[in-house]
Amino acid sequence: MRTGTIERNTKETQIKISVSLDGKGKADIDTGVGFFDHMLTALSVHSGISMDIKVKGDLHVDCHHTIEDTGIALGQALGQALGAKSGIVRYGTAYIPMDESLAMASLDLSNRPFLVFNCEFTNQSCGGYDLCMTEEFFRAFAFNSGMTLHINLLYGSNDHHKAEAIYKAVAHALKTAVTENADGSTLSTKGVL
């Protein structure tokens, strides 16, 4: 089984995350931020990656540390589950509509971390989730998993729909990228990632 488990404890957050790339997208998520739980559940279910995420953060301050640190730990758990990243399709791209919103994500599990994030929101938050943290989460996730990640929100008007389209687009791109290839080889001219 391709699995990863990370525990990360700081003065701001206490996090335990387990992922299974072949776990069929079972989600058990509790971060203390309801909308974030909803987005992480979508990420798990739509990627097919089972995720057990438990977070206790300094929400009396705001949601920043909770969301960013979850991205760090989830990225590390994904990287652990992928190991040397051999034997996978490596690339994935998905366009996902959510009602009036359309998002695109394209990624490469390359050990070359980078984030391009072209998304704008109208409001400050959805529930207790600051929408500006969407970029911070995906930056932490990409950099700690060794992923090149491009996210573009093509259009939309409802911020809930925009965010959900973004998370689901990343999920479907990730589902393709972590798929095992036919011969177990490393998809690289270098022979290693």
Side-chain angles (χ1 to χ4, degrees), residues 68-85:
E68 183 176 35
D69 289 6
T70 299
I72 291 169
L74 184 59
Q76 290 172 346
L78 177 64
Q80 188 181 94
L82 287 167
K85 298 184 174 78

PDB file of all heavy atoms in Angstrom, residues 68-85:
ATOM      1  N   GLU A  68      -2.591  26.648   6.663  1.00  0.00           N
ATOM      2  CA  GLU A  68      -1.253  26.527   6.080  1.00  0.00           C
ATOM      3  C   GLU A  68      -0.523  25.293   6.607  1.00  0.00           C
ATOM      4  O   GLU A  68       0.089  24.549   5.834  1.00  0.00           O
ATOM      5  CB  GLU A  68      -0.436  27.788   6.368  1.00  0.00           C
ATOM      6  CG  GLU A  68       0.945  27.748   5.711  1.00  0.00           C
ATOM      7  CD  GLU A  68       1.713  29.034   5.915  1.00  0.00           C
ATOM      8  OE1 GLU A  68       1.578  29.659   6.993  1.00  0.00           O
ATOM      9  OE2 GLU A  68       2.458  29.412   4.999  1.00  0.00           O
ATOM     10  N   ASP A  69      -0.590  25.068   7.924  1.00  0.00           N
ATOM     11  CA  ASP A  69       0.117  23.921   8.499  1.00  0.00           C
ATOM     12  C   ASP A  69      -0.491  22.596   8.047  1.00  0.00           C
ATOM     13  O   ASP A  69       0.226  21.599   7.883  1.00  0.00           O
ATOM     14  CB  ASP A  69       0.120  24.009  10.025  1.00  0.00           C
ATOM     15  CG  ASP A  69       1.023  25.123  10.548  1.00  0.00           C
ATOM     16  OD1 ASP A  69       1.562  25.893   9.735  1.00  0.00           O
ATOM     17  OD2 ASP A  69       1.175  25.223  11.780  1.00  0.00           O
ATOM     18  N   THR A  70      -1.792  22.580   7.802  1.00  0.00           N
ATOM     19  CA  THR A  70      -2.414  21.384   7.234  1.00  0.00           C
ATOM     20  C   THR A  70      -1.866  21.126   5.836  1.00  0.00           C
ATOM     21  O   THR A  70      -1.586  19.977   5.477  1.00  0.00           O
ATOM     22  CB  THR A  70      -3.951  21.526   7.202  1.00  0.00           C
ATOM     23  OG1 THR A  70      -4.434  21.695   8.535  1.00  0.00           O
ATOM     24  CG2 THR A  70      -4.608  20.301   6.585  1.00  0.00           C
ATOM     25  N   GLY A  71      -1.690  22.175   5.053  1.00  0.00           N
ATOM     26  CA  GLY A  71      -1.087  22.023   3.726  1.00  0.00           C
ATOM     27  C   GLY A  71       0.324  21.471   3.796  1.00  0.00           C
ATOM     28  O   GLY A  71       0.704  20.605   2.994  1.00  0.00           O
ATOM     29  N   ILE A  72       1.106  21.950   4.764  1.00  0.00           N
ATOM     30  CA  ILE A  72       2.476  21.448   4.939  1.00  0.00           C
ATOM     31  C   ILE A  72       2.447  19.952   5.241  1.00  0.00           C
ATOM     32  O   ILE A  72       3.119  19.147   4.583  1.00  0.00           O
ATOM     33  CB  ILE A  72       3.185  22.218   6.074  1.00  0.00           C
ATOM     34  CG1 ILE A  72       3.463  23.662   5.655  1.00  0.00           C
ATOM     35  CG2 ILE A  72       4.488  21.508   6.479  1.00  0.00           C
ATOM     36  CD1 ILE A  72       3.915  24.565   6.803  1.00  0.00           C
ATOM     37  N   ALA A  73       1.665  19.563   6.259  1.00  0.00           N
ATOM     38  CA  ALA A  73       1.640  18.169   6.688  1.00  0.00           C
ATOM     39  C   ALA A  73       1.028  17.251   5.634  1.00  0.00           C
ATOM     40  O   ALA A  73       1.508  16.128   5.416  1.00  0.00           O
ATOM     41  CB  ALA A  73       0.881  18.046   8.011  1.00  0.00           C
ATOM     42  N   LEU A  74      -0.031  17.718   4.943  1.00  0.00           N
ATOM     43  CA  LEU A  74      -0.642  16.896   3.897  1.00  0.00           C
ATOM     44  C   LEU A  74       0.323  16.708   2.736  1.00  0.00           C
ATOM     45  O   LEU A  74       0.422  15.613   2.169  1.00  0.00           O
ATOM     46  CB  LEU A  74      -1.955  17.528   3.424  1.00  0.00           C
ATOM     47  CG  LEU A  74      -2.761  16.725   2.400  1.00  0.00           C
ATOM     48  CD1 LEU A  74      -3.132  15.345   2.943  1.00  0.00           C
ATOM     49  CD2 LEU A  74      -4.014  17.492   1.992  1.00  0.00           C
ATOM     50  N   GLY A  75       1.056  17.750   2.382  1.00  0.00           N
ATOM     51  CA  GLY A  75       2.067  17.621   1.343  1.00  0.00           C
ATOM     52  C   GLY A  75       3.151  16.627   1.722  1.00  0.00           C
ATOM     53  O   GLY A  75       3.567  15.794   0.914  1.00  0.00           O
ATOM     54  N   GLN A  76       3.608  16.679   2.972  1.00  0.00           N
ATOM     55  CA  GLN A  76       4.630  15.738   3.445  1.00  0.00           C
ATOM     56  C   GLN A  76       4.104  14.302   3.428  1.00  0.00           C
ATOM     57  O   GLN A  76       4.828  13.376   3.043  1.00  0.00           O
ATOM     58  CB  GLN A  76       5.085  16.126   4.846  1.00  0.00           C
ATOM     59  CG  GLN A  76       5.890  17.409   4.875  1.00  0.00           C
ATOM     60  CD  GLN A  76       6.171  17.909   6.290  1.00  0.00           C
ATOM     61  OE1 GLN A  76       5.566  17.458   7.267  1.00  0.00           O
ATOM     62  NE2 GLN A  76       7.090  18.863   6.395  1.00  0.00           N
ATOM     63  N   ALA A  77       2.847  14.113   3.829  1.00  0.00           N
ATOM     64  CA  ALA A  77       2.260  12.770   3.830  1.00  0.00           C
ATOM     65  C   ALA A  77       2.130  12.234   2.402  1.00  0.00           C
ATOM     66  O   ALA A  77       2.412  11.051   2.147  1.00  0.00           O
ATOM     67  CB  ALA A  77       0.898  12.789   4.519  1.00  0.00           C
ATOM     68  N   LEU A  78       1.715  13.105   1.468  1.00  0.00           N
ATOM     69  CA  LEU A  78       1.629  12.691   0.069  1.00  0.00           C
ATOM     70  C   LEU A  78       3.007  12.318  -0.461  1.00  0.00           C
ATOM     71  O   LEU A  78       3.172  11.285  -1.124  1.00  0.00           O
ATOM     72  CB  LEU A  78       1.013  13.798  -0.785  1.00  0.00           C
ATOM     73  CG  LEU A  78       0.929  13.501  -2.287  1.00  0.00           C
ATOM     74  CD1 LEU A  78       0.000  12.336  -2.582  1.00  0.00           C
ATOM     75  CD2 LEU A  78       0.485  14.747  -3.054  1.00  0.00           C
ATOM     76  N   GLY A  79       4.015  13.156  -0.172  1.00  0.00           N
ATOM     77  CA  GLY A  79       5.372  12.858  -0.606  1.00  0.00           C
ATOM     78  C   GLY A  79       5.872  11.532  -0.057  1.00  0.00           C
ATOM     79  O   GLY A  79       6.512  10.744  -0.768  1.00  0.00           O
ATOM     80  N   GLN A  80       5.572  11.259   1.202  1.00  0.00           N
ATOM     81  CA  GLN A  80       5.964   9.988   1.831  1.00  0.00           C
ATOM     82  C   GLN A  80       5.287   8.813   1.125  1.00  0.00           C
ATOM     83  O   GLN A  80       5.924   7.793   0.846  1.00  0.00           O
ATOM     84  CB  GLN A  80       5.580  10.033   3.309  1.00  0.00           C
ATOM     85  CG  GLN A  80       6.093   8.882   4.140  1.00  0.00           C
ATOM     86  CD  GLN A  80       5.635   9.014   5.580  1.00  0.00           C
ATOM     87  OE1 GLN A  80       4.607   8.461   5.972  1.00  0.00           O
ATOM     88  NE2 GLN A  80       6.374   9.784   6.373  1.00  0.00           N
ATOM     89  N   ALA A  81       3.993   8.959   0.825  1.00  0.00           N
ATOM     90  CA  ALA A  81       3.256   7.883   0.166  1.00  0.00           C
ATOM     91  C   ALA A  81       3.771   7.613  -1.246  1.00  0.00           C
ATOM     92  O   ALA A  81       3.757   6.471  -1.717  1.00  0.00           O
ATOM     93  CB  ALA A  81       1.765   8.222   0.119  1.00  0.00           C
ATOM     94  N   LEU A  82       4.260   8.642  -1.912  1.00  0.00           N
ATOM     95  CA  LEU A  82       4.762   8.494  -3.289  1.00  0.00           C
ATOM     96  C   LEU A  82       6.191   7.974  -3.342  1.00  0.00           C
ATOM     97  O   LEU A  82       6.634   7.475  -4.377  1.00  0.00           O
ATOM     98  CB  LEU A  82       4.673   9.838  -4.022  1.00  0.00           C
ATOM     99  CG  LEU A  82       3.273  10.279  -4.419  1.00  0.00           C
ATOM    100  CD1 LEU A  82       3.266  11.741  -4.837  1.00  0.00           C
ATOM    101  CD2 LEU A  82       2.743   9.397  -5.546  1.00  0.00           C
ATOM    102  N   GLY A  83       6.930   8.105  -2.244  1.00  0.00           N
ATOM    103  CA  GLY A  83       8.310   7.635  -2.219  1.00  0.00           C
ATOM    104  C   GLY A  83       9.155   8.309  -3.283  1.00  0.00           C
ATOM    105  O   GLY A  83       9.161   9.536  -3.403  1.00  0.00           O
ATOM    106  N   ALA A  84       9.837   7.508  -4.108  1.00  0.00           N
ATOM    107  CA  ALA A  84      10.704   8.042  -5.166  1.00  0.00           C
ATOM    108  C   ALA A  84       9.914   8.520  -6.376  1.00  0.00           C
ATOM    109  O   ALA A  84      10.492   8.988  -7.356  1.00  0.00           O
ATOM    110  CB  ALA A  84      11.718   6.984  -5.598  1.00  0.00           C
ATOM    111  N   LYS A  85       8.593   8.399  -6.328  1.00  0.00           N
ATOM    112  CA  LYS A  85       7.696   8.821  -7.416  1.00  0.00           C
ATOM    113  C   LYS A  85       7.926   8.027  -8.705  1.00  0.00           C
ATOM    114  O   LYS A  85       7.610   8.490  -9.800  1.00  0.00           O
ATOM    115  CB  LYS A  85       7.803  10.330  -7.682  1.00  0.00           C
ATOM    116  CG  LYS A  85       7.382  11.180  -6.484  1.00  0.00           C
ATOM    117  CD  LYS A  85       7.396  12.664  -6.820  1.00  0.00           C
ATOM    118  CE  LYS A  85       6.835  13.497  -5.696  1.00  0.00           C
ATOM    119  NZ  LYS A  85       7.733  13.703  -4.586  1.00  0.00           N
TER     120      LYS A  85
END
